[in-house]
Amino acid sequence: AMEARWSGAVCVLVLVGTWSVVAGQVRYSVPEEAKVGTVVGRLSQELGLEAGDAEARRVRVVWQGRRAGVEVSGASGTLVVSSRLDREELCGKSAPCSLRLELLQERPLRVLHVELEVTDINDNAPLFPAARKNISIAELTTVPGSRFPLEGASDADIGANAQLSYTLSPSEHFRLDLQKSNERNIVPDLVLTKPLDRETVPMHLLLLTASDGGRPSLTGTMELLITVLDANDNAPQFNQSVYKVQLLENATEETLVVRVNATDRDEGSNSEVTYTATNFIPPSGKDIISVNPHTGEIRLTGALDFEEVSVFDFRIEARDKGTPPLSGHCSVEMEVLDVNDNAPEVWVTSLSVPVSEDAPVGMVVALLSVSDRDSGANGRVQCSVWPASPFSLESRFLGSYSLVLREALDRERVSEYEVEVRAEDGGKPTLRARRSVRVPVSDVNDNAPAFSQAVYTVLARENNAAGAELARVWARDPDEAGNGRVSYSLWEGVSGASVSVGGWRPASSYVSVDAESGRVWAVQALDYEELQVLQFEVRAVDAGEPPLVGNATVQLFVVDENDNAPMLLASAGGGPGLDPFAGRVVGSSVEAVSDSGSETLWAWAAWGAPAGQVVAKIRAVDADSGYNAWLRYEVLEPRGKGPFRVGLYSGEVSTARALEEADGPRQRLVIVVRDHGEPSRSATATLSVSLVEGGDKALTVAGSSSPGLVLPAEGGAAAGSAFASTNVWLVVAICAVSSVFVLALVLYGASRWAPRSAVLSGPAAATLVCASEVGSWSYSQRQSRSLCVADGAGKSDLMVFSPNLPPPPSVPAAKDTSQAEPSSLLD
């Protein structure tokens, strides 16, 4: 029973008597009662340990359910007895006394299965159930050869140490006869060799001695007090000498075990029989067995447990009521049958957690032990793990399993596993047990930061305050702790630089990124006229080892504000704001009202000039873009209907009707130039036009009193035609790459043959701005040096914006190739 109970359990390491390695298992043998500190064995061969390695590698004995009896000495690397080993306490009467245990080495993780046999020494003397036994024998009627069963002694040892022999003190009336009650026990019987005579010897005192087979032998004694009675010469007789019964261990109390029956041939009270149970082996049987003294029915009075005791032996005595009473005896062997009443048990003997998410497949995570106290199929256990992945169970030895990693882990997907080890036996019905094992997964830096967007598009108004937040970028790193802690930085690579009006500048001169929050803020106020688009890269770096990097591109578009007023340009003829080639009469005077004051120039017109004659042209630019740089011209004074008008978008001052002498010798015009911004900004110019007689006089006056140049209408047209001829190939080359090549040819023909047409150009080489290049409302950085114009009303579907950079003041206007021409409407 004890052997069945511990067949699946992990038990104790034991003192080395002998050892051997069988099928991966070390087997030791040790006598019981070995002294504490006795060396059991050296572990160098089994574990490859040197002196002192056992403590460093943390070698220890794993016990399950019992107190420790041996331990590993860390200093010497040997196995020593640590406390008293009592075979009878450990295994009872089971032979051999084999205990299974595990010798666990944690660095590295190894396990050695050990089977220990605790050998018996003769440390228990035979013990009778009582120090004295009273026997009554009738005189005369008790014939020689009559037998009187005696209660045998018990010895807690096993084997030869428990093999008992009996001797009786010398007597002329009695001798001792040994009988085998069953295959395991020898019972002494007292045999009468000579009739008794009560009157001669009324009482006999004998000494029964039991000796075991140990070396040296131990003995126990019991006194036999024999009282000689008179006349009841027939003892009760059972109908069979041995009763064998079988009961399931789950039999309930009051279950009938067997009914014994004895008869007595005497009459009267000498034939009335009463039954009693005696000589229980093991002694605990008296607590679960009772016999009815009148009927001989034997019933259960307590619960059976196959795992504790599998066989009960006891004797039934039938005693009559004669004087003296006589008795008969029989033996009862009750075998307890196993039922599946014990569920498997699962223990975690070692657990190596947390498991790194980059742990290799095949790594042992935990060691488990499984046992079932039942026997046979009821004690055969099968184990499985749930869920099936990413772990599996591998059987290492009988009752021992390893929890093994069979798939790669990913902490970002599953950060912790609750693994359930399930065990079930082979009984009917099947009993099951479960043991949960929590396996946390530790993080490694296997994820780079990832931005929420690959490209961030940011709009920022110019003139923002330094330190203002422009945007926020955010990167996610699913790792934990430092592996997922992200810091941001601005990458100073080639793509992080910008070319502005001032030249090449790094992105860090405009923006900065907060390392912790990803906040993008302005280092300085942005100026659209300096920088329109800034593209740079932000890097996110985690704090892992090694660190991983993620990138995102930020495209910063500076939004223009109307922070620049229109500016009048100096004319090629020396006066501010006037085009010397605007018409027949070129000499002009403009008073530009600005922060620096004003200046007045003159223009001349001939009486009789027809309506539509161009007198002068106001030239202005705005450093802003789009609507903020789209200029319109209006006559502020005189209000109402005057002799002159100004082109709304061209700035050309022309006659509104034919000039008459009644108009006076001089006309003063105040012209305002406004942009389309919100709020609108403006500049004003004062133009004084002198009226003279005839074109020749106007030419003479203009040549003598004005820095401008007076050209006849015919001369102006001829000059324009000649200029257009000299630049025909340039016009064709530029317009050939546009989608309005036909329009360029039309404009070229108009400039060559139309009498009122002209190609206006400054001192630099002439270029043609085609409608397809300027037909949107967005600002263009192209610097136009030439503009195609023609007679007729302007059309509002084509718009040309002037560039936003005026010529540097240190360069003469006549030689500034970057100076732009004024805006115009194209027909």
Side-chain angles (χ1 to χ4, degrees), residues 766-815:
T767 58
L768 183 64
V769 179
C770 299
S772 63
E773 297 184 85
V774 295
S776 76
W777 296 101
S778 64
Y779 170 75
S780 173
Q781 282 281 44
R782 292 185 177 86
Q783 305 258 336
S784 300
R785 298 296 301 142
S786 222
L787 185 66
C788 298
V789 297
D791 286 345
K795 294 185 177 180
S796 61
D797 59 342
L798 297 178
M799 179 62 62
V800 179
F801 292 118
S802 301
N804 64 345
L805 297 177
S810 59
V811 181
K815 297 182 179 181

Side-chain angles (χ1 to χ4, degrees), residues 214-370:
R215 293 290 185 272
S217 177
L218 300 179
T219 60
T221 60
M222 180 176 67
E223 290 182 350
L224 300 177
L225 183 59
I226 302 173
T227 303
V228 181
L229 303 177
D230 196 80
N232 186 17
D233 58 349
N234 288 290
Q237 296 291 325
F238 284 93
N239 56 2
Q240 62 186 77
S241 62
V242 178
Y243 292 84
K244 294 184 178 181
V245 295
Q246 292 179 331
L247 283 180
L248 292 175
E249 63 173 322
N250 61 353
T252 60
E253 292 185 13
E254 298 300 324
T255 298
L256 178 64
V257 177
V258 68
R259 181 174 181 174
V260 298
N261 182 46
T263 59
D264 195 316
R265 292 181 296 174
D266 294 326
E267 295 181 349
S269 62
N270 290 335
S271 64
E272 295 179 5
V273 178
T274 60
Y275 301 93
T276 58
T278 63
N279 202 21
F280 287 95
I281 300 175
S284 61
K286 64 184 178 181
D287 298 327
I288 63 172
I289 295 297
S290 69
V291 60
N292 189 306
H294 304 292
T295 64
E297 292 182 347
I298 301 174
R299 295 183 180 272
L300 290 180
T301 59
L304 300 177
D305 189 351
F306 172 85
E307 288 71 41
E308 292 293 335
V309 181
S310 60
V311 176
F312 289 93
D313 291 333
F314 54 94
R315 305 188 76 176
I316 300 297
E317 180 185 53
R319 185 182 294 270
D320 61 24
K321 295 181 179 179
T323 303
L326 299 179
S327 62
H329 300 81
C330 72
S331 296
V332 178
E333 295 181 7
M334 186 177 70
E335 183 181 0
V336 181
L337 302 180
D338 182 44
V339 296
N340 193 25
D341 58 345
N342 291 281
E345 295 179 276
V346 182
W347 297 281
V348 179
T349 59
S350 180
L351 183 62
S352 179
V353 293
V355 179
S356 176
E357 65 176 317
D358 62 350
V361 174
M363 174 184 173
V364 176
V365 177
L367 297 179
L368 303 104
S369 296
V370 181

Side-chain angles (χ1 to χ4, degrees), residues 381-609:
V381 180
Q382 293 183 342
C383 289
S384 62
V385 63
W386 185 90
S389 61
F391 301 100
S392 63
L393 278 180
E394 293 182 0
S395 178
R396 302 175 57 86
F397 193 71
L398 181 62
S400 179
Y401 292 87
S402 298
L403 184 64
V404 178
L405 182 66
R406 75 172 190 178
E407 294 179 6
L409 301 176
D410 185 0
R411 190 204 65 82
E412 288 69 43
R413 185 173 61 87
V414 181
S415 61
E416 183 176 281
Y417 291 89
E418 192 73 23
V419 181
E420 186 176 83
V421 179
R422 298 177 174 180
E424 63 177 27
D425 59 27
K428 292 186 181 302
T430 299
L431 298 181
R432 298 175 177 84
R434 298 180 180 183
R435 173 73 65 178
S436 294
V437 180
R438 189 177 67 87
V439 182
V441 182
S442 60
D443 185 54
V444 296
N445 192 25
D446 57 347
N447 290 279
F451 282 91
S452 57
Q453 300 174 219
V455 178
Y456 290 84
T457 300
V458 180
L459 300 178
R461 289 189 175 276
E462 66 171 329
N463 302 319
N464 60 308
E469 180 176 326
L470 303 178
R472 283 182 184 264
V473 296
W474 179 75
R476 177 181 178 272
D477 193 322
D479 294 322
E480 68 177 355
N483 295 333
R485 188 168 57 250
V486 178
S487 60
Y488 304 90
S489 62
L490 185 67
W491 183 45
E492 293 287 1
V494 175
S495 63
S498 175
V499 178
S500 65
V501 175
W504 185 91
R505 294 181 64 182
S508 59
S509 63
Y510 295 103
V511 294
S512 181
V513 179
D514 185 78
E516 294 186 0
S517 65
R519 169 178 167 265
V520 181
W521 54 278
V523 174
Q524 63 179 20
L526 299 177
D527 186 359
Y528 176 84
E529 287 69 45
E530 175 189 351
L531 176 71
Q532 287 79 46
V533 181
L534 177 63
Q535 179 172 306
F536 56 91
E537 189 173 282
V538 176
R539 283 190 171 182
V541 182
D542 61 28
E545 192 61 40
L548 300 179
V549 179
N551 301 310
T553 300
V554 179
Q555 292 180 341
L556 177 64
F557 292 89
V558 182
V559 180
D560 181 48
E561 288 190 343
N562 194 24
D563 57 347
N564 291 281
M567 182 177 63
L568 296 168
L569 299 179
S571 67
L578 225 54
D579 191 335
F581 301 104
R584 284 185 63 187
V585 181
V586 182
S588 62
S589 174
V590 177
E591 179 182 6
V593 180
S594 62
D595 294 340
S596 60
S598 62
E599 182 180 354
T600 302
L601 293 179
W602 296 84
W604 291 266
W607 286 333

